Amino acid sequence: MKRLFIALLALLAAFYAGAQTKRYTNHNEFSVITYGPAFLESGFGLHTYHGLQFHENISLGLNTGLDRYPVNGEGSKWFLPLSAKVNYVEFPDRKRSFFAGLDLGYGFAFLNKNISEKNLKYEYQGGVLVNSQLGWRFKFKNSAKYWSLAAGYRYQQYSRKDSYIPPSASLPDTDPWYGKTQIDKKYDLHRFTLQIGVGF
């Protein structure tokens, strides 16, 4: 995780260092996040990408937003994603063009409420985020702005730490950690996504 943060900080430094000579680009998307094409128990995502055009076909930048995932037996889980993203556009000057994007980052889980009952405690932690997409973008007439349609794959990892302390631990002269049980549950969310967006 530390290496990932160092890589993101290095990207941020390079982003600002190149901002004087590279063209800024922006892409904002709404995503449907689902188990598959049946759209059962669908979640959603709101994402904003801020990048620099390092080549006429390629831009590199940072992507962030908000994600909601339905998880079987666990209800809805919320994440604040932060990722490095590379975008490729095949024909940037044409009215219609194929494009592809790849994100690598981290999904923060602090938006989920940690549960603390009398003897039971749940704590959520985020994890690695990977997202890929393929799609088409369509320029508005006489404008550099465009709208886009895309589909992709999204992987989000997170964990929940369950701690149980038996009532006997609260008795006088008893070690408060006596009989404590701790279980780390790891979750790997694999999702299909559909996105619609606007950008320039």
Side-chain angles (χ1 to χ4, degrees):
M1 183 172 148
K2 289 182 179 179
R3 292 180 181 178
L4 181 59
F5 278 121
I6 291 172
L8 286 174
L9 287 174
L11 175 63
L12 187 62
F15 182 87
Y16 284 109
Q20 303 299 320
T21 58
K22 308 298 182 184
R23 184 173 66 85
Y24 170 75
T25 182
N26 172 256
H27 192 194
N28 303 293
E29 291 180 295
F30 171 78
S31 302
V32 176
I33 303 174
T34 181
Y35 289 98
F39 297 104
L40 299 175
E41 298 186 15
S42 296
F44 69 87
L46 297 170
H47 307 119
T48 179
Y49 168 71
H50 302 272
L52 293 176
Q53 205 73 38
F54 284 88
H55 183 272
E56 64 177 4
N57 303 98
I58 298 173
S59 67
L60 184 65
L62 295 174
N63 199 35
T64 189
L66 179 69
D67 290 325
R68 175 187 173 273
Y69 293 81
V71 181
N72 283 336
E74 296 287 335
S76 295
K77 301 304 170 197
W78 296 84
F79 297 92
L80 181 74
L82 178 62
S83 60
K85 183 172 185 177
V86 58
N87 267 349
Y88 170 81
V89 181
E90 189 172 12
F91 303 112
D93 296 327
R94 296 186 183 180
K95 292 182 179 179
R96 294 182 297 274
S97 177
F98 166 82
F99 79 93
L102 179 64
D103 291 69
L104 177 61
Y106 190 88
F108 295 91
F110 62 83
L111 295 172
N112 298 290
K113 183 179 179 181
N114 292 329
I115 299 173
S116 184
E117 298 176 351
K118 187 174 181 180
N119 300 101
L120 188 63
K121 187 175 182 180
Y122 294 160
E123 293 179 298
Y124 290 95
Q125 295 180 342
V128 172
L129 163 69
V130 179
N131 184 66
S132 60
Q133 62 177 165
L134 299 173
W136 287 87
R137 68 179 210 173
F138 308 86
K139 282 190 175 182
F140 292 108
K141 188 175 182 180
N142 300 322
S143 174
K145 296 180 181 179
Y146 62 87
W147 67 278
S148 63
L149 285 174
Y153 161 78
R154 196 168 184 88
Y155 168 75
Q156 175 67 63
Q157 183 187 72
Y158 79 97
S159 62
R160 193 183 81 186
K161 184 182 292 184
D162 297 358
S163 301
Y164 173 74
I165 302 176
S168 59
S170 61
L171 296 175
D173 301 321
T174 302
D175 185 338
W177 292 90
Y178 173 77
K180 180 178 179 180
T181 302
Q182 184 171 298
I183 301 174
D184 290 329
K185 297 181 178 180
K186 296 185 181 295
Y187 298 83
D188 298 293
L189 307 181
H190 301 271
R191 298 293 187 268
F192 172 74
T193 63
L194 283 177
Q195 296 115 358
I196 184 169
V198 292
F200 59 87

